[in-house]
Amino acid sequence: MNRTLAEGAIILAPRGRDAAIAQAMLVEGRMEAAIAPDLAALVAALRSGSGFAIVTEEALRSADLRELTVVLAGQAEWSDLPFIVLTERGGGLERNPGAVRLLETLGNVTFLERPFHPTTLLSLARAARRARLRQYEARNRLEDIHAGQERLKLAIAAGGLGAWTLDMSTSTLHVEPDTKAQFGRGPDEPFDYLDLLAAIHPDDRDDTIAGVQRAMADHSDYRAEVRCVWPDGSLHWLQVDGRVERDRAGKPRRVVGVSHEITDRRVIELRQRALLALSDRLREAPDTASMSFEAAAILGSTLGVCRAGYGVIDPVAETITIERDWCMPGIQTLAGVLHFRDYGSYIENLKRGELVAFADARTDPRTAESASALEAIAARAVINLPLVERGTFSALLYLSHAHPRAWSDDDLTFVRDVADRTQAAIERRRAEDALAALAETLERQVEERTRERDRTWQNSQDMLAILSEDGMILSVNPAWTSVLGWNPDEIIGRNHLAFAHPDEVSANAAARESALRGNLRQYENRYRHKDGSYRWIGWVATLEGNRLYASGRHITAERAAQADLESAQEQLRQAQKMEAVGQLTGGLAHDFNNLLTAISGSLELIQTRILQGRANELDRYVNMAQQAARRAAALTHRLLAFSRRQTLDPRPTDINRLIASFEDLLRRSVGPSVEIEIVGAAGLWTTLVDPNQLENAVLNLCINARDAMPDGGRITIETANIWLDATAARTRDMAAGQYISVCVTDTGSGMTPETIARAFDPFFTTKPLGEGTGLGLSMIYGFVRQSGGQVRIYSELGSGTTMCLYLPRSYDAEEPDLESQPTLDATAQATGKTVLVVDDEPAVRALVVDTLVDLGHHVLEAGDGPSAVTLLDSDRIIDLMITDVGLPKGMNGRQLADVARVRRPDLKILFITGYAENAAVGNGHLDPGMHILTKPFAMDALSARIQQLTTD
């Protein structure tokens, strides 16, 4: 029978309408009922679970009841399925042998003779259902009992407990296998009450029996810690807990309990107490010989060996001299001189500083031949621990036992621990004795040095003082009077804060607290002179015992000079800063006014010409505005590079390959009068850099070099791997490490030191007015520093110039340059992709959207990150997301990209930005499928990049 809670009836009445009538009666009485068309269906219903069964006698009289019998015989112990059997008229049990057969087969049967009143059937059915429900309750109680028993067994096993029961009337002991194991017996070995008493240590047996009797008499629980001896002779400790169960008359019926082995704990406690006692005895011992004996006594009594002691070793003569050892009663001392060779060959191990331990002299190969000599001195089992002083084997700690004994790792650890503590105590005692002998000499030296200190105290020009922990001045030297005007009796006994400047009272108190925690170094404050003015004092202080020893130097004049110097330096820095700001803003205003004039003027003339109908002149003004806009973008780019705020797209780059790719451009830019030589280092490392920016930097350096050689000359571009140590890196204002250098050297006029010092300043140029912006080198400097590198100039007037770019090494492999790959025609056939555009500037967003529409793409727009996330969460297909980095409402473009990648891992992303901190786009480390396009950009460049990303 399965675990069911069914309450309904299953009805088997195959003749006529008996089944339907019985079902109708039950349903009308608000009971569940189902009809089984045949016996097989009845058996199946009983297997799946039913509340009770109603069957007719004739349905079972001649049927094969074997399957039904199997089902009923397989019922759980709690189950006895009720049957109501409908018999024929006059078919009582006394005249119906077939009904008796059904009674034997079905078990829990109630017979109902037909015809019957409906209330009779309903009454019997309700009784059967109640009986079935009580069976379910019994099943639940049995399951709870079984579960509790299993949990108890698991808890006992997990806690390392052994359960036992002792029947007091028969002295019958029942123990679990775990309990037998605690007494050294196997699970199948016999173990009765007499075996239990025999296993208890003789010294504990009587107390154990008395404790049980006391618990029975006092109606209390039994609890004791006893020793038991295993069949192999080993000693173990058990904690036994028991409770007496009594009958209704209060007479003890049985004792139930658990036992738990506590050998490890008792051994640890015993040895901990032994180590505590050892410390006390070593401290109280009058000399080192007594200390050695006390340690031996602790070891011998704790480990239960026959003998323990210390001896002095002569490694050359191979002897041990024993003054005194600890022995059990009946064991003879070994005091005197013994030769190791008389007792085996283990002296060789001891000379090497190895511990020697053997459980049985008869079986150890080092002692087998001399075992009789060892047995004669009660040393069949031995531990010898060599003690080394100043690298020499000088003493030995030994333990011996008259019978074989296996030494455990804990035994050896305990012996080593006692030996180490004893040896340390002996060495400390020897040091104390030596110090005592030295004390008289030191006392004389202290007296002499005290007189010297007093002379220093009196003659010192620094203010010397001794203070208590709470800041009270206990003593001062005469310098206090000369510096502050106070006499010593006006100072001593007062708190040092009484002389402090009012603004510095709390700081002075904090300085004193700091001195109490350690030495105080270079603390400066103001102390009040007797005339009411203040003097600056520079203090150092140290704590010794509960006294602060302070020394103060009068620095009022030095502070005044330092303040004057700092004021002058600050004025100079401010003047330089204002000059630089003025130069920067003046240059910006000049250039941007020109560019804005060109742009606004062109736009006004375009508007005028459109009104005049002169459209044929528009291209000229459009070109003029576009050229001015490009120059403004270039100027902004240079300013961002100078300020290290430009948006970079760094990639692992092979600089040799990069320079080779635009070598033709370099040669065309410098002209035929200048020869270019490229010297690329073999095996050049890669560097993490923006290739386009580096290309511009090298090109600008070559153009500057050309301008420095108006009559022609040579430019050498050289790359190299360099490894800067701390010293070399410090001279270049860089961190130590591995770098790639790119140096551009010319044979031109060179630079003066003044020019070199200002070369990287914005708008500084040595070219004639109108021939240079002065932002080229500052842009290169800002770009290289932003890339983690450095720029250095090496030049002498008339001897040419070398400009070196130092870029940090990258361990990543070079990546393909997407910009150098063939770009797609912006007018190529539209691919019909869906693109999400996110930008808070409506004008920029409109331009991007128009470009995408012209390319034939579908566009989704968002003005901020949260709006874009809503679109990303939708079911719309999105092939590309174009987003600004700087977005409002708490989510920038890089954060939006991270969210997008979580929702759409394969989404391609194009960042468009005119200014962004590197951190906003990942510090130059973009995930695959992420790209950057810097504002301002040409619409055809945007179109080409979009086509490239939507056709990959």
Side-chain angles (χ1 to χ4, degrees), residues 86-352:
L86 306 180
T87 64
E88 297 177 350
R89 181 188 300 272
L93 292 179
E94 66 280 1
R95 298 187 303 275
N96 193 343
V100 175
R101 169 174 170 264
L102 292 179
L103 178 63
E104 295 173 351
T105 301
L106 302 179
N108 186 7
V109 180
T110 300
F111 292 97
L112 179 61
E113 184 176 346
R114 293 174 289 185
F116 50 79
H117 195 275
T119 57
T120 304
L121 177 62
L122 287 176
S123 176
L124 292 178
R126 290 191 179 104
R129 184 176 64 177
R130 286 194 301 272
R132 190 59 167 168
L133 293 177
R134 285 194 295 271
Q135 292 177 17
Y136 293 153
E137 293 175 358
R139 175 188 63 188
N140 294 337
R141 287 194 295 273
L142 286 173
E143 289 177 350
D144 291 341
I145 291 172
H146 292 160
Q149 291 174 343
E150 291 301 320
R151 288 195 297 270
L152 179 59
K153 289 181 180 179
L154 289 174
I156 290 175
L161 303 176
W164 53 268
T165 304
L166 175 62
D167 190 319
M168 301 302 298
S169 61
T170 61
S171 295
T172 301
L173 178 68
H174 174 73
V175 295
E176 297 292 336
D178 291 341
T179 310
K180 290 184 180 181
Q182 293 174 352
F183 287 88
R185 268 68 169 182
D188 299 326
E189 294 185 48
F191 190 70
D192 56 18
Y193 183 55
L194 295 179
D195 294 329
L196 171 68
L197 294 178
I200 297 175
H201 193 281
D203 294 342
D204 296 345
R205 192 173 299 148
D206 293 340
D207 290 341
T208 301
I209 296 174
V212 175
Q213 293 174 347
R214 188 164 49 252
M216 290 189 294
D218 298 344
H219 292 258
S220 61
D221 292 341
Y222 172 73
R223 182 182 180 87
E225 294 183 356
V226 299
R227 291 169 290 177
C228 66
V229 182
W230 283 17
D232 62 3
S234 59
L235 185 67
H236 297 260
W237 280 89
L238 292 180
Q239 177 178 309
V240 182
D241 295 271
R243 172 164 293 180
V244 179
E245 293 184 354
R246 303 174 184 274
D247 56 19
R248 294 182 178 179
K251 183 179 178 180
R253 184 166 59 90
R254 63 178 180 176
V255 183
V256 296
V258 293
S259 57
H260 179 56
E261 183 168 359
I262 58 172
T263 303
D264 292 342
R265 176 172 66 81
R266 288 301 299 251
V267 169
I268 291 173
E269 292 174 353
L270 181 63
R271 293 183 179 180
Q272 287 177 341
R273 289 197 295 268
L275 292 175
L276 292 174
L278 174 67
S279 299
D280 295 337
R281 296 187 188 183
L282 292 177
R283 185 172 54 255
E284 297 170 359
D287 51 43
T288 57
S290 300
M291 297 169 73
S292 299
F293 174 77
E294 294 296 342
I298 290 288
L299 281 173
S301 59
T302 303
L303 294 179
V305 297
C306 294
R307 182 189 297 109
Y310 278 83
V312 178
I313 300 300
D314 184 342
V316 178
E318 297 183 341
T319 62
I320 179 173
T321 301
I322 303 170
E323 294 184 6
R324 182 185 178 192
D325 55 11
W326 177 89
C327 301
M328 289 182 63
I331 302 298
Q332 186 177 0
T333 180
L334 294 181
V337 179
L338 283 75
H339 292 268
F340 282 102
R341 295 291 179 181
D342 294 340
Y343 303 99
S345 60
Y346 56 85
I347 181 61
E348 300 298 336
N349 301 87
L350 297 176
K351 286 181 178 180
R352 293 193 294 269

Side-chain angles (χ1 to χ4, degrees), residues 574-653:
Q574 188 66 21
Q576 291 173 337
K577 186 185 301 183
M578 294 305 296
E579 181 182 357
V581 171
Q583 183 182 18
L584 177 62
T585 56
L588 284 174
H590 176 269
D591 286 355
F592 271 107
N593 281 335
N594 288 338
L595 296 172
L596 290 173
T597 299
I599 295 172
S600 62
S602 296
L603 293 174
E604 290 176 4
L605 289 176
I606 289 173
Q607 186 179 29
T608 300
R609 294 297 182 264
I610 291 175
L611 294 175
Q612 294 173 349
R614 297 163 62 183
N616 58 335
E617 300 181 16
L618 296 183
D619 287 344
R620 175 189 174 192
Y621 300 119
V622 169
N623 290 334
M624 291 172 60
Q626 287 178 336
Q627 289 176 4
R630 283 192 288 270
R631 289 175 58 195
L635 180 59
T636 303
H637 174 73
R638 289 170 180 260
L639 287 172
L640 287 175
F642 165 72
S643 62
R644 308 178 204 174
R645 292 297 186 269
Q646 64 178 331
T647 303
L648 299 179
D649 185 15
R651 296 191 294 271
T653 303

Side-chain angles (χ1 to χ4, degrees), residues 771-791:
E771 294 187 12
T773 64
L775 284 174
L777 288 180
S778 63
M779 178 195 71
I780 295 172
Y781 180 81
F783 151 67
V784 174
R785 294 295 285 167
Q786 189 176 352
S787 301
Q790 183 61 280
V791 184

Side-chain angles (χ1 to χ4, degrees), residues 13-51:
R15 295 182 182 178
R17 297 182 62 253
D18 291 348
I21 294 172
Q23 183 186 34
M25 292 179 181
L26 295 180
V27 171
E28 185 178 354
R30 297 182 180 180
M31 298 179 66
E32 297 178 4
I35 298 175
D38 50 34
L39 181 59
L42 174 69
V43 171
L46 297 181
R47 289 184 188 277
S48 61
S50 296

Side-chain angles (χ1 to χ4, degrees), residues 534-546:
Y534 287 90
R535 305 289 189 269
W536 279 98
I537 312 296
W539 294 99
V540 295
T542 185
L543 178 68
E544 292 187 14
N546 60 350

Side-chain angles (χ1 to χ4, degrees), residues 757-780:
R758 299 190 60 192
F760 299 129
D761 291 348
F763 298 107
F764 174 78
T765 179
T766 58
K767 297 178 181 179
L769 185 63
E771 294 187 12
T773 64
L775 284 174
L777 288 180
S778 63
M779 178 195 71
I780 295 172

